[in-house]
Amino acid sequence: MKVAVIGTTGYGGGELIRILHNHPVFNIHSIHSSRDEMPITDEFPHLGNIFEDSLKKIDTDAIAEEADLVFLATPSGVSGKLAEEFSGKDIQVVDLSGDLRLTNPDDYQNWYKHTPVKSETLSQAVYGLSEWNQEEIKQAKVIANPGCYPTATLLGLGPVAAEGLLDPANIIIDAKSGVSGAGKSLSRTTAFSEMNDNFKIYKVNEHQHIPEIEQQLFKWDGGLSPVTFSTHLLPITRGIMATIYVKLKKEARTSEVIELYRETYKNHPFVRVRKEGQFPGVKEVCGSNYCDIGVHADQRTGRLTIVSVIDNLMKGAAGQAVQNANLMNGIDEKAGLDFIPMYP
């Protein structure tokens, strides 16, 4: 299949090239950017002698005519416009931005501060949480790839939320990310002198991923209330750890919760549930499409602690995008993604 990537010069676009270069079915037909045409190696020298295609201008008509599938690795506010241009054309679309994730346009306007996508385009999009929406993804032509924080959070909460076990008033998500989640644009926040030997909170109760998390939780259990969601920057390049604190409606032992998680994810190769007493670290999923989860039920406080880790650029972006594209086309979901994490 011929694949186009738009927004190739960002970290997510670079990861898509890394994955697709060795994919058994998807062939990179063209790469595109709003920048001047130039060899991709001018932006990513590490691709020298491996992948040296040149960037092309964005022409949605030409892309739809030549390619079978397009990945939109462009910022929110840009991807939505491109998705509208591709709407009605004979091409599959996987959008890595937030433009198609929220079903309520008012929520998008309030949290992202952009004009919402037209309803006819938005109605085509399927939320691409791969492990939970597989049947819808398989029938979809347009995928709204989940955000990085929501992926880690929702995979962690999914089994207990879908079973209706959560006390709705007690969901606290304490999430931390490496600085690559902020993208390549220069800023004081992510400058080396600001982040080295530092650790800081940001967007307190204002992060745009909050409504995305709440939207999916509400689908699992309509009685769930708004969540408390805090985000922090770590002085590392890759990785997200979401430490989640919840109360269950009934008492449960750690072993029982682990069994629920293992049963839920037994047919999903990219979610790995740790055995009792073990918890994952971000380095153990680095460069991979895995989500590792550890849980502990505290009999003293009645709280369940869930620790969920992913690589924000892989399972949180490009990796899950390819996983969704595999599912859309009836390909083994591990195709192009079945490699061991980088360690140490």
Side-chain angles (χ1 to χ4, degrees):
M1 294 180 63
K2 294 180 180 179
V3 173
V5 181
I6 302 179
T8 325
T9 57
Y11 290 139
E15 285 292 85
L16 283 169
I17 292 174
R18 183 170 75 91
I19 298 167
L20 296 170
H21 179 68
N22 289 313
H23 197 283
V25 176
F26 300 144
N27 176 63
I28 302 176
H29 178 72
S30 59
I31 55 176
H32 304 265
S33 173
S34 58
R35 300 188 185 184
D36 294 336
E37 296 183 23
M38 65 179 187
I40 189 62
T41 49
D42 286 1
E43 187 68 32
F44 292 130
H46 69 285
L47 295 176
N49 297 335
I50 300 172
F51 181 83
E52 297 189 336
D53 286 16
S54 291
L55 294 165
K56 297 181 179 179
K57 292 294 185 183
I58 301 169
D59 182 335
T60 54
D61 288 331
I63 293 169
E65 183 69 27
E66 297 175 6
D68 304 300
L69 166 69
V70 60
F71 291 97
L72 305 180
T74 45
S76 293
V78 175
S79 286
K81 293 182 176 63
L82 291 170
E84 288 177 346
E85 291 184 31
F86 282 116
S87 182
K89 294 181 169 61
D90 186 21
I91 189 169
Q92 296 175 338
V93 176
V94 179
D95 175 28
L96 279 70
S97 85
D99 285 354
L100 303 178
R101 295 173 191 158
L102 301 180
T103 57
N104 185 336
D106 291 337
D107 286 341
Y108 177 83
Q109 178 85 54
N110 292 336
W111 289 88
Y112 282 85
K113 312 303 181 187
H114 297 305
T115 302
V117 174
K118 293 177 182 177
S119 58
E120 52 266 36
T121 301
L122 194 60
S123 64
Q124 298 176 45
V126 169
Y127 187 59
L129 190 62
S130 304
E131 283 71 23
W132 286 91
N133 293 338
Q134 283 203 356
E135 295 309 310
E136 295 94 333
I137 292 166
K138 289 176 182 178
Q139 305 302 319
K141 189 174 179 180
V142 180
I143 294 291
N145 213 56
C148 51
Y149 281 127
T151 296
T153 300
L154 293 169
L155 290 177
L157 282 170
V160 283
E163 287 292 313
L165 297 177
L166 295 180
D167 178 341
N170 289 280
I171 302 174
I172 299 173
I173 304 150
D174 181 27
K176 302 121 182 137
S177 175
V179 293
S180 61
K184 290 178 69 178
S185 298
L186 300 177
S187 73
R188 176 177 175 179
T189 301
T190 57
F192 179 82
S193 57
E194 295 285 337
M195 275 310 304
N196 184 49
D197 292 331
N198 201 2
F199 175 46
K200 53 190 174 182
I201 194 168
Y202 70 104
K203 290 187 177 179
V204 179
N205 296 323
E206 295 179 348
H207 200 286
Q208 69 271 20
H209 287 168
I210 291 173
E212 181 181 341
I213 293 168
E214 292 177 347
Q215 176 179 270
Q216 183 60 41
L217 287 176
F218 189 78
K219 287 182 179 178
W220 282 326
D221 182 349
L224 293 181
S225 303
V227 301
T228 296
F229 178 69
S230 299
T231 53
H232 309 73
L233 280 178
L234 293 168
I236 62 175
T237 301
R238 292 172 176 259
I240 282 179
M241 175 179 285
T243 305
I244 307 164
Y245 307 97
V246 298
K247 278 200 171 186
L248 302 181
K249 291 180 179 178
K250 62 181 182 179
E251 186 176 321
R253 296 189 301 272
T254 299
S255 59
E256 295 172 327
V257 180
I258 289 174
E259 181 57 34
L260 169 62
Y261 275 68
R262 287 184 171 166
E263 180 65 24
T264 300
Y265 290 123
K266 65 181 180 180
N267 295 320
H268 301 289
F270 290 118
V271 178
R272 305 186 296 190
V273 181
R274 296 297 174 89
K275 60 185 179 182
E276 188 168 352
Q278 292 189 355
F279 296 89
V282 293
K283 184 162 281 192
E284 292 148 19
V285 296
C286 184
S288 81
N289 198 51
Y290 289 102
C291 173
D292 286 6
I293 299 172
V295 301
H296 182 264
D298 188 346
Q299 303 301 308
R300 186 178 66 85
T301 63
R303 292 191 183 92
L304 175 70
T305 300
I306 307 162
V307 180
S308 176
V309 300
I310 63 170
D311 183 320
N312 55 292
L313 296 177
M314 284 294 296
K315 186 60 172 169
Q320 187 162 216
V322 173
Q323 184 180 358
N324 283 325
N326 288 340
L327 291 168
M328 291 169 77
N329 290 286
I331 302 166
D332 181 352
E333 67 182 298
K334 296 187 293 182
L337 296 165
D338 193 14
F339 44 79
I340 296 171
M342 298 183 292
Y343 192 90

